Structures are given as C-alpha cells and as structure tokens.
Coordinates of all heavy atoms in Angstrom, one line a residue:
C1 N 13.4 -19.2 19.5 CA 12.4 -18.4 18.9 C 12.4 -17.0 19.7 O 12.2 -17.0 20.9 CB 11.0 -19.0 19.0 SG 9.8 -18.1 18.0
K2 N 12.6 -16.0 18.9 CA 12.7 -14.6 19.6 C 11.4 -13.9 19.5 O 10.6 -14.2 18.6 CB 13.7 -13.8 18.8 CG 15.2 -14.2 19.0 CD 16.1 -13.2 18.3 CE 17.5 -13.7 18.5 NZ 18.5 -12.7 18.0
T3 N 11.2 -13.0 20.4 CA 10.0 -12.2 20.4 C 10.3 -11.0 19.5 O 11.4 -10.8 19.1 CB 9.6 -11.6 21.8 OG1 10.7 -10.8 22.2 CG2 9.4 -12.8 22.8
W4 N 9.2 -10.3 19.1 CA 9.5 -9.1 18.3 C 10.4 -8.1 18.9 O 11.3 -7.5 18.3 CB 8.1 -8.4 18.0 CG 7.3 -9.0 17.0 CD1 6.2 -9.8 17.2 CD2 7.5 -8.9 15.6 NE1 5.7 -10.2 16.0 CE2 6.5 -9.7 15.0 CE3 8.4 -8.3 14.7 CZ2 6.3 -9.8 13.6 CZ3 8.3 -8.5 13.4 CH2 7.3 -9.2 12.8
E5 N 10.3 -8.0 20.2 CA 11.1 -7.0 21.0 C 12.6 -7.4 21.0 O 13.4 -6.6 20.9 CB 10.6 -6.9 22.4 CG 11.3 -5.9 23.3 CD 10.7 -5.8 24.7 OE1 10.2 -6.8 25.2 OE2 10.7 -4.7 25.2
E6 N 12.8 -8.7 21.0 CA 14.2 -9.2 20.9 C 14.8 -9.1 19.5 O 16.0 -8.9 19.4 CB 14.3 -10.7 21.4 CG 13.9 -10.9 22.9 CD 13.7 -12.3 23.2 OE1 13.3 -13.1 22.4 OE2 14.0 -12.7 24.4
A7 N 14.0 -9.3 18.5 CA 14.4 -9.3 17.1 C 14.6 -7.9 16.5 O 15.4 -7.7 15.7 CB 13.5 -10.2 16.3
I8 N 13.7 -7.0 16.9 CA 13.7 -5.6 16.3 C 13.9 -4.6 17.4 O 13.1 -4.5 18.4 CB 12.4 -5.4 15.6 CG1 12.2 -6.4 14.5 CG2 12.4 -4.0 15.0 CD1 10.8 -6.4 13.8
S9 N 14.9 -3.8 17.3 CA 15.1 -2.8 18.3 C 14.4 -1.5 17.8 O 14.4 -1.2 16.6 CB 16.6 -2.5 18.6 OG 17.3 -2.1 17.4
G10 N 13.9 -0.7 18.8 CA 13.3 0.5 18.4 C 12.0 0.4 17.6 O 11.7 1.3 16.8
M11 N 11.3 -0.7 17.8 CA 10.1 -1.0 17.0 C 9.1 0.1 17.3 O 8.8 0.4 18.4 CB 9.5 -2.3 17.2 CG 8.4 -2.6 16.2 SD 7.8 -4.3 16.3 CE 6.5 -4.2 17.5
A12 N 8.5 0.6 16.2 CA 7.4 1.6 16.4 C 6.3 1.4 15.4 O 6.6 0.8 14.3 CB 8.0 3.0 16.2
L13 N 5.1 1.7 15.7 CA 4.0 1.7 14.8 C 3.7 3.0 14.2 O 3.8 4.0 14.9 CB 2.7 1.2 15.5 CG 2.7 -0.2 16.0 CD1 1.5 -0.5 16.8 CD2 2.9 -1.2 14.9
E14 N 3.5 3.1 12.9 CA 3.2 4.3 12.2 C 1.8 4.1 11.7 O 1.5 3.2 10.9 CB 4.2 4.5 11.1 CG 3.9 5.7 10.2 CD 4.8 5.8 9.0 OE1 5.8 5.1 8.9 OE2 4.5 6.5 8.1
I15 N 0.9 5.1 12.0 CA -0.5 5.0 11.5 C -0.5 5.8 10.2 O -0.2 7.0 10.2 CB -1.4 5.6 12.5 CG1 -1.5 4.8 13.8 CG2 -2.8 5.7 11.9 CD1 -2.3 5.4 14.9
E16 N -0.8 5.1 9.1 CA -0.8 5.7 7.8 C -2.2 6.4 7.6 O -2.3 7.4 6.9 CB -0.6 4.7 6.7 CG 0.8 4.2 6.6 CD 1.0 3.3 5.4 OE1 0.0 3.0 4.7 OE2 2.1 2.9 5.2
E17 N -3.2 5.8 8.1 CA -4.6 6.3 7.9 C -5.4 5.9 9.1 O -5.3 4.7 9.6 CB -5.1 5.7 6.6 CG -6.5 6.2 6.3 CD -7.0 5.7 5.0 OE1 -6.3 5.1 4.2 OE2 -8.3 5.8 4.8
C18 N -6.3 6.7 9.5 CA -7.2 6.4 10.6 C -8.6 7.0 10.2 O -8.7 8.2 9.8 CB -6.7 7.1 11.9 SG -7.6 6.5 13.4
R19 N -9.6 6.1 10.2 CA -10.9 6.6 9.8 C -12.0 6.0 10.7 O -12.0 4.9 11.1 CB -11.2 6.4 8.3 CG -11.2 4.9 7.9 CD -11.5 4.8 6.4 NE -10.4 4.4 5.6 CZ -10.5 3.5 4.6 NH1 -11.7 3.0 4.3 NH2 -9.5 3.2 3.9
C20 N -13.0 6.9 10.9 CA -14.2 6.4 11.6 C -15.0 5.6 10.7 O -15.3 5.9 9.6 CB -15.0 7.7 12.1 SG -16.5 7.3 13.0
V21 N -15.4 4.4 11.2 CA -16.1 3.4 10.3 C -17.4 3.0 11.0 O -17.9 1.9 10.8 CB -15.3 2.2 10.0 CG1 -14.1 2.6 9.0 CG2 -14.7 1.5 11.2
G22 N -18.0 3.9 11.8 CA -19.2 3.6 12.5 C -19.3 4.5 13.7 O -18.3 5.2 14.0
E23 N -20.4 4.4 14.4 CA -20.5 5.3 15.6 C -19.5 5.0 16.6 O -19.0 5.9 17.3 CB -21.9 5.1 16.1 CG -22.3 6.0 17.3 CD -23.7 5.9 17.7 OE1 -24.6 5.6 16.9 OE2 -23.9 6.0 18.9
N24 N -19.1 3.7 16.8 CA -18.2 3.3 17.8 C -17.0 2.5 17.4 O -16.4 1.8 18.1 CB -19.0 2.4 18.9 CG -20.1 3.2 19.5 OD1 -19.8 4.3 20.0 ND2 -21.3 2.7 19.5
R25 N -16.6 2.6 16.1 CA -15.5 1.9 15.5 C -14.6 2.8 14.8 O -15.0 3.7 14.1 CB -15.9 0.7 14.6 CG -16.7 -0.3 15.4 CD -17.0 -1.6 14.6 NE -17.8 -1.2 13.4 CZ -18.2 -2.1 12.5 NH1 -17.8 -3.3 12.6 NH2 -18.9 -1.7 11.5
V26 N -13.3 2.5 14.9 CA -12.2 3.2 14.1 C -11.3 2.1 13.4 O -11.0 1.1 14.0 CB -11.4 4.1 15.1 CG1 -10.2 4.6 14.4 CG2 -12.2 5.1 15.7
L27 N -11.0 2.4 12.2 CA -10.1 1.6 11.4 C -8.7 2.3 11.3 O -8.7 3.5 10.9 CB -10.6 1.4 10.0 CG -9.6 0.8 9.0 CD1 -9.3 -0.7 9.3 CD2 -10.1 0.9 7.6
A28 N -7.7 1.7 11.7 CA -6.3 2.2 11.6 C -5.5 1.4 10.7 O -5.4 0.1 10.9 CB -5.6 2.3 13.0
I29 N -4.9 2.0 9.7 CA -4.0 1.3 8.7 C -2.6 1.6 9.1 O -2.3 2.8 9.2 CB -4.3 1.6 7.3 CG1 -5.8 1.2 7.0 CG2 -3.3 0.9 6.3 CD1 -6.3 1.7 5.6
T30 N -1.8 0.6 9.5 CA -0.5 0.9 10.1 C 0.6 0.1 9.4 O 0.4 -0.9 8.7 CB -0.6 0.5 11.6 OG1 -1.0 -0.9 11.7 CG2 -1.6 1.3 12.3
R31 N 1.8 0.4 9.8 CA 3.0 -0.3 9.5 C 3.9 -0.3 10.7 O 3.8 0.6 11.5 CB 3.8 0.4 8.4 CG 3.2 0.3 7.0 CD 4.2 1.0 6.0 NE 3.6 1.1 4.7 CZ 3.7 0.3 3.7 NH1 4.4 -0.8 3.9 NH2 3.1 0.5 2.6
A32 N 4.7 -1.3 10.9 CA 5.7 -1.4 12.0 C 7.1 -1.2 11.3 O 7.4 -1.7 10.2 CB 5.6 -2.7 12.7
H33 N 8.0 -0.5 12.1 CA 9.3 -0.4 11.6 C 10.3 -0.3 12.7 O 9.9 0.0 13.9 CB 9.5 0.8 10.6 CG 9.1 2.1 11.2 ND1 9.9 2.9 12.0 CD2 7.9 2.8 11.2 CE1 9.3 4.0 12.4 NE2 8.0 3.9 11.9
G34 N 11.5 -0.5 12.5 CA 12.6 -0.5 13.5 C 13.9 -0.9 12.9 O 14.1 -0.8 11.7
R35 N 14.8 -1.5 13.7 CA 16.1 -2.0 13.2 C 16.3 -3.4 13.7 O 16.0 -3.7 14.8 CB 17.2 -1.0 13.6 CG 17.1 0.4 13.1 CD 18.5 1.0 13.0 NE 18.4 2.2 12.1 CZ 18.7 2.2 10.8 NH1 19.0 1.1 10.2 NH2 18.6 3.3 10.1
G36 N 17.0 -4.2 12.9 CA 17.3 -5.5 13.3 C 18.2 -5.4 14.6 O 19.2 -4.7 14.6
A37 N 17.9 -6.2 15.6 CA 18.6 -6.1 16.9 C 20.1 -6.5 16.7 O 21.0 -5.9 17.3 CB 17.9 -6.9 18.0
G38 N 20.3 -7.5 15.9 CA 21.7 -7.9 15.7 C 22.4 -7.2 14.6 O 23.6 -6.8 14.8
S39 N 21.8 -6.9 13.5 CA 22.4 -6.3 12.3 C 22.3 -4.8 12.3 O 23.2 -4.1 11.7 CB 21.8 -6.8 11.0 OG 20.5 -6.4 10.9
G40 N 21.3 -4.2 12.9 CA 21.1 -2.8 12.8 C 20.4 -2.4 11.5 O 20.2 -1.2 11.2
A41 N 20.1 -3.4 10.6 CA 19.5 -3.1 9.3 C 18.1 -2.6 9.5 O 17.4 -3.1 10.4 CB 19.5 -4.3 8.4
P42 N 17.6 -1.7 8.7 CA 16.2 -1.2 8.8 C 15.3 -2.4 8.5 O 15.5 -3.2 7.6 CB 16.1 -0.2 7.7 CG 17.4 0.1 7.2 CD 18.3 -1.0 7.6
V43 N 14.2 -2.5 9.3 CA 13.2 -3.5 9.1 C 11.8 -2.8 9.1 O 11.5 -1.9 9.9 CB 13.2 -4.5 10.3 CG1 12.1 -5.5 10.2 CG2 14.5 -5.1 10.5
A44 N 10.9 -3.2 8.1 CA 9.6 -2.6 8.0 C 8.6 -3.7 7.7 O 8.9 -4.6 6.9 CB 9.6 -1.5 7.0
S45 N 7.4 -3.6 8.2 CA 6.4 -4.6 7.9 C 5.6 -4.0 6.7 O 5.7 -2.9 6.3 CB 5.4 -4.7 9.0 OG 4.6 -3.6 9.2
G46 N 4.7 -4.9 6.1 CA 3.8 -4.4 5.1 C 2.6 -3.7 5.9 O 2.6 -3.7 7.1
R47 N 1.7 -3.3 5.1 CA 0.5 -2.6 5.8 C -0.4 -3.6 6.4 O -0.6 -4.7 5.9 CB -0.3 -1.9 4.7 CG 0.5 -0.8 4.1 CD -0.2 -0.2 2.9 NE -1.3 0.7 3.3 CZ -2.4 0.8 2.7 NH1 -2.7 0.1 1.6 NH2 -3.3 1.7 3.2
F48 N -0.9 -3.3 7.6 CA -1.9 -4.1 8.3 C -2.9 -3.2 8.9 O -2.7 -2.0 8.9 CB -1.2 -5.1 9.3 CG -0.4 -4.4 10.4 CD1 -1.0 -4.2 11.6 CD2 0.9 -4.1 10.2 CE1 -0.2 -3.6 12.6 CE2 1.7 -3.5 11.2 CZ 1.1 -3.3 12.4
A49 N -3.9 -3.8 9.4 CA -5.0 -2.9 9.9 C -5.5 -3.4 11.3 O -5.3 -4.5 11.7 CB -6.2 -3.0 9.0
Q50 N -6.1 -2.4 12.0 CA -6.7 -2.7 13.3 C -8.0 -2.0 13.3 O -8.2 -0.9 12.9 CB -5.8 -2.1 14.4 CG -4.4 -2.7 14.5 CD -3.5 -1.9 15.4 OE1 -3.8 -1.8 16.6 NE2 -2.4 -1.4 14.9
I51 N -9.0 -2.7 13.9 CA -10.3 -2.1 14.1 C -10.5 -2.0 15.6 O -10.5 -3.1 16.3 CB -11.4 -3.0 13.5 CG1 -11.3 -3.0 11.9 CG2 -12.8 -2.4 13.8 CD1 -12.2 -4.0 11.3
A52 N -10.7 -0.8 16.1 CA -10.9 -0.6 17.5 C -12.4 -0.3 17.7 O -13.0 0.5 17.0 CB -10.1 0.5 18.1
E53 N -13.0 -0.9 18.8 CA -14.4 -0.7 19.1 C -14.4 0.0 20.5 O -13.7 -0.4 21.4 CB -15.2 -2.0 19.2 CG -15.3 -2.7 17.8 CD -16.0 -4.0 17.9 OE1 -16.8 -4.2 18.8 OE2 -15.8 -4.8 17.0
F54 N -15.3 1.0 20.6 CA -15.4 1.8 21.8 C -16.7 1.7 22.4 O -17.7 1.5 21.8 CB -15.1 3.3 21.4 CG -13.8 3.6 20.9 CD1 -13.5 3.4 19.6 CD2 -12.8 4.1 21.8 CE1 -12.2 3.7 19.1 CE2 -11.5 4.3 21.3 CZ -11.2 4.1 19.9
R55 N -16.8 1.8 23.8 CA -18.0 1.9 24.5 C -17.8 2.9 25.7 O -16.8 2.7 26.4 CB -18.4 0.5 25.1 CG -19.8 0.5 25.7 CD -20.2 -0.8 26.2 NE -20.1 -1.8 25.2 CZ -19.5 -3.0 25.3 NH1 -19.0 -3.4 26.5 NH2 -19.5 -3.9 24.3
E56 N -18.6 3.9 25.7 CA -18.5 4.9 26.8 C -17.1 5.5 26.8 O -16.6 5.8 27.8 CB -18.9 4.3 28.1 CG -20.4 3.9 28.2 CD -20.7 3.2 29.5 OE1 -20.0 3.4 30.5 OE2 -21.8 2.6 29.5
G57 N -16.6 5.7 25.6 CA -15.3 6.4 25.5 C -14.0 5.6 25.7 O -12.9 6.0 25.7
L58 N -14.2 4.3 26.0 CA -13.1 3.4 26.3 C -13.0 2.3 25.2 O -14.0 1.8 24.7 CB -13.3 2.7 27.6 CG -13.4 3.6 28.8 CD1 -13.7 2.8 30.1 CD2 -12.1 4.4 29.0
V59 N -11.8 1.9 24.9 CA -11.6 0.8 23.9 C -12.0 -0.5 24.6 O -11.5 -0.8 25.7 CB -10.2 0.7 23.5 CG1 -9.9 -0.5 22.6 CG2 -9.7 2.0 22.7
V60 N -12.9 -1.3 24.0 CA -13.4 -2.5 24.6 C -12.9 -3.7 23.8 O -13.0 -4.9 24.2 CB -14.9 -2.5 24.8 CG1 -15.3 -1.5 25.8 CG2 -15.7 -2.3 23.5
R61 N -12.5 -3.5 22.5 CA -12.1 -4.6 21.7 C -11.2 -4.0 20.5 O -11.5 -3.0 20.0 CB -13.3 -5.3 21.1 CG -12.9 -6.4 20.2 CD -14.2 -7.1 19.6 NE -13.9 -8.2 18.8 CZ -14.8 -8.8 18.0 NH1 -16.1 -8.4 18.1 NH2 -14.5 -9.8 17.2
V62 N -10.1 -4.7 20.2 CA -9.2 -4.4 19.1 C -9.0 -5.7 18.3 O -8.6 -6.7 18.9 CB -7.9 -3.8 19.5 CG1 -7.0 -3.6 18.3 CG2 -8.1 -2.5 20.3
R63 N -9.3 -5.6 17.0 CA -9.1 -6.8 16.1 C -8.0 -6.4 15.2 O -8.0 -5.3 14.6 CB -10.4 -7.1 15.3 CG -11.5 -7.5 16.2 CD -12.8 -7.6 15.5 NE -12.8 -8.5 14.4 CZ -13.7 -8.6 13.5 NH1 -14.8 -7.8 13.5 NH2 -13.6 -9.5 12.5
L64 N -7.0 -7.3 15.1 CA -5.8 -7.1 14.3 C -5.9 -7.9 13.0 O -6.3 -9.1 13.1 CB -4.6 -7.5 15.0 CG -3.2 -7.3 14.3 CD1 -3.0 -5.9 14.0 CD2 -2.1 -7.9 15.2
F65 N -5.7 -7.3 11.9 CA -5.8 -8.0 10.6 C -4.4 -7.9 9.9 O -3.9 -6.7 9.7 CB -6.9 -7.4 9.7 CG -8.2 -7.5 10.3 CD1 -8.7 -6.6 11.2 CD2 -9.1 -8.6 9.9 CE1 -10.0 -6.7 11.7 CE2 -10.3 -8.7 10.4 CZ -10.8 -7.8 11.3
G66 N -3.9 -9.0 9.4 CA -2.6 -8.9 8.7 C -2.7 -8.3 7.3 O -1.6 -8.1 6.7
D67 N -3.9 -8.1 6.8 CA -4.1 -7.6 5.5 C -5.2 -6.5 5.6 O -6.2 -6.8 6.2 CB -4.5 -8.7 4.6 CG -4.8 -8.3 3.2 OD1 -3.8 -8.3 2.4 OD2 -5.9 -8.0 2.9
V68 N -5.0 -5.4 5.0 CA -6.0 -4.3 5.0 C -7.3 -4.8 4.4 O -8.4 -4.5 4.9 CB -5.5 -3.0 4.3 CG1 -6.5 -2.0 4.3 CG2 -4.2 -2.5 5.1
Q69 N -7.3 -5.5 3.3 CA -8.5 -5.9 2.6 C -9.3 -6.8 3.6 O -10.6 -6.7 3.5 CB -8.2 -6.6 1.3 CG -9.5 -6.9 0.5 CD -10.2 -5.6 0.2 OE1 -9.7 -4.7 -0.4 NE2 -11.5 -5.6 0.5
H70 N -8.7 -7.6 4.4 CA -9.4 -8.5 5.3 C -10.2 -7.6 6.3 O -11.3 -8.0 6.7 CB -8.5 -9.5 6.0 CG -8.0 -10.6 5.1 ND1 -6.8 -11.2 5.3 CD2 -8.5 -11.1 4.0 CE1 -6.6 -12.1 4.4 NE2 -7.6 -12.0 3.5
A71 N -9.6 -6.6 6.8 CA -10.3 -5.7 7.7 C -11.5 -5.0 7.0 O -12.6 -4.9 7.6 CB -9.3 -4.6 8.2
L72 N -11.3 -4.6 5.8 CA -12.4 -3.9 5.0 C -13.5 -4.9 4.8 O -14.7 -4.6 4.9 CB -11.9 -3.4 3.7 CG -10.9 -2.2 3.8 CD1 -10.3 -1.9 2.5 CD2 -11.5 -1.0 4.5
D73 N -13.2 -6.2 4.5 CA -14.2 -7.2 4.3 C -14.9 -7.5 5.6 O -16.2 -7.6 5.6 CB -13.5 -8.5 3.8 CG -13.0 -8.4 2.4 OD1 -13.4 -7.5 1.7 OD2 -12.2 -9.3 2.1
A74 N -14.2 -7.5 6.7 CA -14.9 -7.7 8.0 C -15.9 -6.5 8.3 O -16.9 -6.8 8.9 CB -13.8 -7.8 9.2
L75 N -15.5 -5.3 8.0 CA -16.4 -4.2 8.2 C -17.6 -4.3 7.3 O -18.7 -3.8 7.7 CB -15.7 -2.9 7.9 CG -14.6 -2.5 8.9 CD1 -13.8 -1.4 8.4 CD2 -15.2 -2.1 10.2
A76 N -17.5 -4.9 6.1 CA -18.6 -5.0 5.2 C -19.6 -6.0 5.7 O -20.8 -6.0 5.2 CB -18.1 -5.3 3.8
G77 N -19.2 -6.9 6.5 CA -20.1 -8.0 7.0 C -20.1 -9.2 6.1 O -19.5 -9.2 5.1
P78 N -20.9 -10.2 6.5 CA -20.9 -11.4 5.8 C -21.6 -11.2 4.4 O -22.5 -10.4 4.3 CB -21.7 -12.4 6.6 CG -22.4 -11.5 7.6 CD -21.7 -10.2 7.7
R79 N -21.0 -11.9 3.4 CA -21.6 -11.8 2.1 C -22.2 -13.1 1.7 O -21.6 -14.2 2.0 CB -20.5 -11.4 1.1 CG -20.0 -10.0 1.4 CD -19.0 -9.5 0.3 NE -18.5 -8.2 0.7 CZ -17.5 -7.7 0.2 NH1 -16.8 -8.3 -0.7 NH2 -17.1 -6.5 0.7
H80 N -23.3 -13.1 1.1 CA -24.0 -14.3 0.8 C -24.0 -14.5 -0.7 O -24.2 -13.6 -1.5 CB -25.4 -14.3 1.3 CG -25.5 -14.2 2.8 ND1 -25.2 -15.2 3.6 CD2 -25.8 -13.1 3.5 CE1 -25.4 -14.8 4.9 NE2 -25.8 -13.5 4.8
A81 N -23.7 -15.7 -1.2 CA -23.7 -16.0 -2.6 C -25.1 -16.0 -3.1 O -26.1 -16.4 -2.4 CB -23.1 -17.4 -2.9
P82 N -25.3 -15.4 -4.3 CA -26.7 -15.4 -4.9 C -27.2 -16.8 -5.1 O -26.5 -17.7 -5.4 CB -26.5 -14.6 -6.2 CG -25.1 -14.5 -6.5 CD -24.3 -14.9 -5.2
E83 N -28.5 -16.9 -4.9 CA -29.2 -18.3 -5.1 C -29.6 -18.5 -6.5 O -29.9 -17.6 -7.2 CB -30.3 -18.4 -4.1 CG -29.9 -18.3 -2.7 CD -31.0 -18.5 -1.7 OE1 -32.1 -19.0 -2.1 OE2 -30.8 -18.1 -0.5

C-alpha cells in the first residue's frame, strides 16, 4: 500500500474558494493534483472541503470533508425532523 506521496509526484493543493463562515472559522474548497509517480499521467481529485477553526490568531482545529456538501451541512448544524 503506497502513501499519497509515493503514488503522486508533485502533489499540490489548489484552493478554489475560501470563505469566512463565522467569527473564527474558514471554509476552504480545494482540489489536489499532481502526476502519477510511475506513469507521469496527470492526476486530480474531486472537490473536497476543509473547515479551519482559529483561536487567538492560530489554527486550533481543521476538519476535512471528502464532499463539499458534507462540510456545508456540518456548518448548518444538526437538523431535527419535524414532529
């Protein structure tokens, strides 16, 4: 089993969108891209999201979501079914 670093050379993250989602939180919508280490073929991920939380100017927590909608749902908070 290879690590990302072994499988993809020159891997980089591209931030497509970054928005403030609260006083101390930022949502970043990103993609990863690089080249296959063995083949040299271009490799790119789908969109995913990260929510960073700050305290006193420092990042104290980063949550990674494999799907942008899941990150947006997490920001909306728990939803309760109507009774």
Side-chain angles (χ1 to χ4, degrees):
C1 188
K2 293 185 177 187
T3 65
W4 282 103
E5 186 177 32
E6 293 168 330
I8 302 173
S9 63
M11 188 171 91
L13 292 177
E14 174 186 349
I15 298 174
E16 290 186 354
E17 183 180 344
C18 191
R19 59 176 113 141
C20 182
V21 292
E23 186 176 327
N24 296 311
R25 294 189 298 180
V26 172
L27 169 70
I29 299 173
T30 57
R31 290 183 189 266
H33 57 86
R35 297 208 166 266
S39 68
V43 176
S45 74
R47 297 170 78 215
F48 59 97
Q50 300 171 59
I51 298 173
E53 296 179 23
F54 296 83
R55 188 176 307 131
E56 297 178 12
L58 300 174
V59 176
V60 294
R61 180 179 179 191
V62 176
R63 295 171 60 193
L64 180 63
F65 297 85
D67 178 90
V68 174
Q69 189 59 53
H70 290 151
L72 296 172
D73 291 345
L75 289 168
R79 296 186 185 166
H80 301 286
E83 296 180 20

